[in-house]
Amino acid sequence: MAPAQSDLCRLTGKAPRNHQHESVWSRLLLACSVLICSLVFFLLVLYTFCDSASLPICHLPRLWLTRPCNGLSKSPSLGVNSATCPQWTALHPTKHRGLSEDLDVSYSSEDFKQRAIQVLGDAVRVPTESYDDNGPVGEDSRWDTFAELHRVLEASFPRIYESLNVTRVNTYGLVFHWQGSTSAKPYILAAHQDVVPVEAQTVDEWKHDPYSGYYDGTWIWGRGTCDDKSDLIRQLLAIDSLLQQGFSPARTLILSYGFDEESKGIEGAGHLARYLEEAYGRDSFALLLDEGSLYTDMGGTVFATPSISEKGYLDVEITLSTLGGHSSVPPSHTSIGLLSRFIAVVEDSPHQASLSRTGTPFATTQCLAAHHPMYPEDLRKLARKALTDDAALKVLQERLLASDPLYKAMLGTTQAVDLIEGGVKVNALPERASAVVNHRIAEHSSVGELQQHMIDLLTPLAIKYDLALVAFGSNVTCGGAGQVVLSDFLGTALEPSPVTPTGHGPWAILQGSIKAAFESSPARNNSKVVVIPSLSIGNTDTQFYWNLTKHIFRFSPSFDTDRFNGEHTINEAFRADSLSEGVRFYTKFILNVDESDLP
Ligand SMILES: *[C@@H]1O[C@H](CO)[C@@H](O)[C@H](O)[C@H]1NC(C)=O
Ligand SMILES: *[C@@H]1O[C@H](CO)[C@@H](O)[C@H](O)[C@H]1NC(C)=O
Ligand SMILES: *[C@@H]1O[C@H](CO)[C@@H](O)[C@H](O)[C@H]1NC(C)=O
Ligand SMILES: *[C@@H]1O[C@H](CO)[C@@H](O)[C@H](O)[C@H]1NC(C)=O
Ligand SMILES: [Zn+2]
């Protein structure tokens, strides 16, 4: 059957289009506002970033950099400093200073380490695998293992289950509510209970069974040790220790633990987000901290790089349909041949990477230029110049792109043709062929912009081969030879996340807490850590939490070298010493947020 064409197509013979008429006045008004805004913005940027420049504006006090911190009753002072990437000094709890110091001692003990190893091992021994094709909770019995994990958690942390209110959301989502004594906005620590499945044919390659939770004296082995049971267990250990010391919070603390982060996140964080928004309200949390980037040693200086934003996501399925028939009388191009041409055009037109002054990768670059001891001197100068000089910005962009393929992913939308399907028999013309292009959308772009890019790119090809193009639910062009459909493959389109503000408030508390934890660690010999914002090129459960707070951070308090072989691979193992170090961080963070006057 020939693919149908839209009535509109038949009438006009061309693509439906929107015509917008704007009056000259409204355009003028718009142009003026844009001009004024740009000028104000330019002055603000200049004002923020210049430190010793000779421009008069630079001598005015930079209020948002030096004002006592909004949200911090005690203001951490600027330590190692730079106007482009200010670093707060370590923020130690003051109201609960004694408690914090007592816990530091306890966390350094062998007893504490052994207990942490035991509880992480117990959690890892429950194979809470998350599958891409999992059915809904209640229908698919593969979710049942999460009930076992809940039993293990309850047995490991009886004090928490006795003292906090535990709510199960969509059966296996866990919310712990620790009521504060004041009406200050609550905050959320998040993690996920699920793990990526272990592929059966790789089990032999594991040094220790993937669900053994075995401790060999240095490493704890098993799927989930790194991602993400170590975060979950370390948060619970911090809370359990605080409870044991008789701490009761001023600010309500919520723990939110999803159970399908490794597949779509909808059953877990999707439901949890809805529950939290209904129970507490929109924008009702002071901040949220979830799993994310790690500590890395760069040229002898340790950096922590909490992510303040995440790229967007879109899987575009391209489906070609043409008439079938016997392949003894073939047309010049079958569905498969046509599909190949579409794929070739997509691959030959990659998205342009772009370093924008307002984007997170630019902030990260400025921070590295300011604090990385091995940063190439010429690049450092270039980065500095790029703050105000457009030509330098372009050169910097090209230099970064040439230096590391990772920059292509950070600065632009990426695309990868990951799936292809078509044809059933050697002597039958394929009636249908399809491919899926996976996209990670740049922070400065959007789902709509990407869809329009694909439409603009593929329309000429559809016309050339007389194919009707239907893109994301709209009829774009008509054609008699067949049809090409562009669609959101599994309905998982995701906009790039909002960008969490840095500077005062939650960011400063996170930065100060990381420093306090790090610098008070016996293992780190009082060494320093630089804390800089980053863009996450993958997605986490935080994609569901945007409505709850503007202050979302993605950070896991361990080193990249605390992971034996990374995550999602064989031989996932976590360094036991990193358990106490992480608990130290969560404890200081909880105490600091608790005693802050964050709105
Ligand atoms: C596109 O064309 C088809 C076939 O004529 C029609 O059924 C459908 O309603 C049209 N869709 C839109 C969005 O115009
Ligand atoms: C548990 O919930 C009850 C009723 O809502 C509340 O009064 C109590 O303070 C909560 N306890 C904790 C520890 O959050
Ligand atoms: C800290 O110092 C001790 C003793 O000098 C040393 O053995 C250890 O490796 C140092 N640790 C770090 C992280 O530098
Ligand atoms: C956030 O709020 C918007 C508007 O109320 C709603 O449409 C959306 O579903 C919410 N997002 C999530 C993840 O709950
Ligand atoms: Zn994870």
Side-chain angles (χ1 to χ4, degrees), residues 277 282 544 547:
E277 192 175 341
R282 203 183 168 85
F544 295 98
N547 287 348

Side-chain angles (χ1 to χ4, degrees), residues 137-199:
V137 173
E139 286 173 28
D140 192 326
S141 63
R142 286 180 295 178
W143 294 114
D144 296 351
T145 67
F146 288 86
E148 177 58 21
L149 179 64
H150 290 191
R151 277 191 289 278
V152 165
L153 293 178
E154 192 161 354
S156 301
F157 299 103
R159 208 172 0 236
I160 293 181
Y161 276 78
E162 271 161 32
S163 317
L164 273 58
N165 288 333
V166 187
T167 308
R168 289 168 187 82
V169 177
N170 195 20
T171 312
Y172 299 121
L174 281 175
V175 173
F176 294 84
H177 174 110
W178 198 2
Q179 181 64 42
S181 57
T182 68
S183 58
K185 266 190 177 180
Y187 64 109
I188 301 174
L189 299 182
H192 62 89
Q193 307 168 51
D194 59 311
V195 300
V196 289
V198 172
E199 284 182 44

